[in-house]
């Protein structure tokens, strides 16, 4: 290599470091031409590298990407025209400008028909070279942007499919079709790692061409994985692809093969493979990179699907746990209600009916469902404190002594104490603790008044009183419905919340009417 070549390379490196200078490769067997071109193209801010023949140019193009190649037509070993052909067959993807003497203009024009972008006539003027180079680079940039746009569109299409679909097979199918479209493959397959067998199983296969053989040999995943681990690209043509297959031989008609890994959080979960069986149709490095992008989309689809199924699973077990909690909760309430009924003959059915009347009032007030559920449960549990009151006292036919009244009046407080240690029953405390409070403050145990009595307490108080009056008790027979309603109206504002009392009277009449119409007369108080 000449001193001039060294100098050009050094300047070129500096230009590259300084920014995104376009990379130009100059090929000429004449040292003077190489030196002149390198010098003034470098001065123009381009990153320039020079070589003296076509073979060296090919080697350089295979190692590093270049935006533009300026090559002489007549060179020993490999002519400019031959170089052009090799660039096309190897899909090296570089724009070419030919340099030619006056006598070979015809050849240059011929070369342009074969894909060269432009030509420069020797001896050339500096401005002319700059002009051609700039125009070529502009064209190259447009081309690159067009490719990038096309890739972006494909990736967008695939990403959209991933976002819209929860069906992993559908997403993988979209990814494979995009792979086929992008690299013009005849067959694409996607293998996923199976944890049980610790092997890679074919999950999706898309065949785009009738020429593709029916059966394909399985890729040799041991070799593929080894190469992925080393970061080496898997891209091979014809018989050279044999090492990537289990039978150590490529399919007979195989023209080209490429494989890219699917990584999910640094774990290799699968492999995307593309096959070309079209003669002369070979995948290149650009294709392989595009496939890598698609593979990463497929990997994120798999990851999403896995996260989704984990989410669904944990949600299901949460629902299961919740419903078993709810079941336990209902069983606990039923257990308490049962214990209570056994301690008081006359309250048999009372808790249930208070729950029903409380619900009628709650629904009539259009309270939220959750609140109504709590009110119904509180209705069932309101007298739970009576569990601690002596059986003989509760079922005493005559009047209670003042001491007995005092003991009896402890039941709301006792109810609170029974529920207090059970967190899931805390929502029912108000109903137990406050159903004997009076609206005017004359009730017990705390003498609360008006709105300071929790709503559930004021509701259960009315339901409790109505059922107590319309049921047989140890100390008296049941009172008729009209008498009970009259009593509630009379006590509105003193014992009961007047608005709730008014609503209850109205709602209970409507309920009775409905029950009669449905033939349930026996279930309503006389
Ligand atoms: Fe009570």
């Amino acid at each position: 290599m000449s001193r001039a070549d060294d100098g050009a390379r050094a300047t070129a490196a500096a230009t590259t470091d300084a920014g995104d200078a376009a990379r130009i490769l100059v090929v000429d067997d004449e040292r003077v031409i190489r030196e002149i071109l390198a010098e003034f193209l470098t001065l123009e801010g381009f990153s320039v590298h020079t070589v003296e023949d076509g073979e060296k140019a090919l080697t350089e193009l295979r190692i590093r990407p270049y935006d533009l190649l300026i090559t002489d037509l007549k060179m020993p070993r490999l002519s400019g025209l031959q170089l052009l052909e090799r660039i096309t067959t190897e899909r090296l993807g570089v724009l070419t400008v030919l340099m030619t003497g006056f006598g070979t203009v015809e050849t240059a024009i011929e070369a342009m028909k074969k894909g060269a972008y432009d030509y420069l006539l020797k001896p050339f003027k500096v401005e002319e070279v700059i002009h051609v180079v700039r125009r070529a680079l502009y064209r190259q940039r447009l081309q690159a942007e067009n490719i990038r746009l096309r890739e972006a569109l494909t990736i967008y299409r695939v990403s959209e499919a991933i976002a819209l679909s929860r069906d992993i097979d559908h997403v993988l199918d979209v990814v494979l079709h995009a792979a086929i479209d992008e690299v013009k493959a005849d067959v694409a397959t996607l293998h996923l790692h199976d944890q049980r067998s610790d092997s890679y199983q074919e999950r999706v296969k898309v065949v785009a061409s009738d020429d593709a053989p029916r059966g394909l040999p399985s890729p040799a995943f041991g070799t593929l994985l080894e190469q992925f681990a080393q970061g080496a690209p898997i891209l091979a043509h014809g018989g050279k692809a044999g090492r990537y297959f289990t039978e150590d031989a490529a399919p007979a008609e195989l023209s080209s093969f490429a494989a890219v890994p699917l990584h999910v959080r640094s774990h290799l979960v699968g492999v995307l493979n593309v096959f070309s069986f079209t003669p002369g149709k070979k995948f290149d490095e650009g294709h392989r990179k595009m496939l890598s992008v698609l593979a990463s989309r497929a990997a994120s689809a798999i990851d999403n699907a896995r996260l989704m199924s984990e989410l669904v699973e944990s949600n299901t077990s949460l629902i299961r746990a919740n419903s078993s909690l709810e079941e336990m909760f209902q069983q606990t309430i039923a257990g308490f209600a049962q214990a209570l009924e056994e301690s008081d003959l006359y309250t048999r059915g009372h808790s249930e009916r208070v729950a029903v009347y409380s619900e009628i009032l709650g629904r009539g007030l259009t309270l939220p469902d959750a609140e109504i559920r709590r009110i119904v449960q509180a209705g069932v549990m309101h007298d739970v404190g009576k569990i601690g009151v002596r059986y003989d006292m509760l079922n005493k036919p005559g009047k209670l002594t003042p001491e007995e009244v005092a003991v009896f009046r402890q039941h709301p407080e006792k109810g609170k104490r029974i529920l207090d240690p059970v967190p899931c029953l805390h929502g029912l405390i108000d109903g137990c603790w406050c159903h004997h409070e009076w609206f005017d403050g004359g009730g017990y145990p705390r003498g609360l008044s008006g709105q300071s009595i929790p709503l559930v307490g004021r509701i259960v108080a009315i339901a409790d009183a109505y059922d107590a009056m319309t049921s047989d008790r140890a100390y008296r027979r049941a009172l008729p419905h009209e008498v009970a309603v009259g009593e509630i109206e009379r006590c509105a504002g003193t014992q009961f919340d007047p608005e709730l009392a008014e609503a209850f009277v109205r709602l209970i009449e409507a309920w009775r009417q409905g029950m009669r119409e449905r033939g349930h007369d026996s279930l309503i108080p006389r």
Side-chain angles (χ1 to χ4, degrees), residues 12-85:
T15 318
T16 311
D17 288 345
D20 283 333
R23 295 173 56 82
I24 302 174
L25 181 63
V26 175
V27 196
D28 203 307
D29 53 328
E30 281 182 70
R31 190 169 58 88
V32 184
I33 302 279
R34 291 201 301 273
E35 281 178 9
I36 295 169
L37 278 175
E39 211 160 295
F40 67 73
L41 285 174
T42 304
L43 280 173
E44 284 295 312
F46 300 115
S47 169
V48 187
H49 183 59
T50 63
V51 286
E52 62 269 30
D53 65 51
E55 285 294 351
K56 282 188 179 161
L58 278 175
T59 311
E60 186 62 26
L61 287 170
R62 285 179 198 127
I63 303 169
R64 273 176 280 273
Y66 280 88
D67 299 300
L68 182 65
L69 172 87
I70 304 176
T71 180
D72 191 17
L73 253 183
K74 277 189 175 174
M75 292 182 294
R77 292 178 69 191
L78 199 69
S79 75
L81 221 51
Q82 286 169 316
L83 176 59
L84 192 66
E85 275 166 13

Side-chain angles (χ1 to χ4, degrees), residues 39-262:
E39 211 160 295
F40 67 73
L41 285 174
T42 304
L43 280 173
E44 284 295 312
F46 300 115
S47 169
V48 187
H49 183 59
T50 63
V51 286
E52 62 269 30
D53 65 51
E55 285 294 351
K56 282 188 179 161
L58 278 175
T59 311
E60 186 62 26
L61 287 170
R62 285 179 198 127
I63 303 169
R64 273 176 280 273
Y66 280 88
D67 299 300
L68 182 65
L69 172 87
I70 304 176
T71 180
D72 191 17
L73 253 183
K74 277 189 175 174
M75 292 182 294
R77 292 178 69 191
L78 199 69
S79 75
L81 221 51
Q82 286 169 316
L83 176 59
L84 192 66
E85 275 166 13
R86 295 280 291 274
I87 285 170
T88 313
T89 39
E90 286 190 38
R91 294 174 169 272
L92 291 168
V94 65
L95 218 60
T96 312
V97 170
L98 295 160
M99 292 181 286
T100 175
F102 186 69
T104 49
V105 170
E106 297 291 312
T107 327
I109 292 167
E110 199 55 36
M112 282 176 71
K113 284 182 191 161
K114 287 186 176 168
Y117 173 67
D118 209 344
Y119 71 93
L120 285 164
L121 204 57
K122 286 184 193 172
F124 39 68
K125 292 183 190 134
V126 174
E127 312 82 68
E128 202 185 339
V129 174
I130 302 294
H131 176 71
V132 167
V133 165
R134 290 213 183 280
R135 204 173 53 186
L137 287 172
Y138 177 67
R139 159 77 180 269
Q140 196 274 343
R141 211 184 70 220
L142 284 185
Q143 254 177 5
E145 274 169 8
N146 190 26
I147 289 167
R148 273 200 291 274
L149 189 68
R150 211 158 49 88
E151 286 175 358
L153 275 173
T154 306
I155 293 159
Y156 174 76
R157 187 156 53 92
V158 171
S159 302
E160 205 176 38
I162 290 170
L164 291 177
S165 178
R166 286 181 186 174
D167 176 0
I168 183 151
D169 285 302
H170 169 69
V171 173
L172 296 182
D173 199 55
V174 170
V175 168
L176 253 65
H177 274 100
I180 291 227
D181 289 352
E182 280 306 309
V183 306
K184 304 281 175 283
D186 294 317
V187 182
T189 62
L190 198 142
H191 290 71
L192 290 185
H193 183 249
D194 177 52
Q195 281 186 331
R196 272 169 302 171
S197 60
D198 192 23
S199 62
Y200 286 81
Q201 306 288 333
E202 187 177 285
R203 175 73 179 252
V204 206
K205 179 179 185 179
V206 176
V207 179
S209 152
D210 296 339
D211 301 336
R214 280 171 188 265
L216 280 176
S218 171
F221 288 99
T223 314
L224 296 187
L225 266 50
E226 217 171 88
Q227 220 160 309
F228 288 147
Q230 290 165 3
I234 294 173
L235 179 64
H237 314 304
K240 285 183 183 165
R243 57 186 293 245
Y244 297 124
F245 295 96
T246 43
E247 285 130 50
D248 224 18
E253 312 84 348
L254 185 69
S255 179
S256 195
F257 172 74
V260 287
L262 271 67

Side-chain angles (χ1 to χ4, degrees), residues 345-347 353 467-479 526:
L345 266 183
Y346 288 90
T347 57
R353 290 191 302 271
D467 185 64
M469 288 188 279
T470 54
S471 315
D472 286 336
R473 287 287 153 126
Y475 46 88
R476 60 146 174 78
R477 302 286 295 169
L479 300 172
R526 278 174 290 117

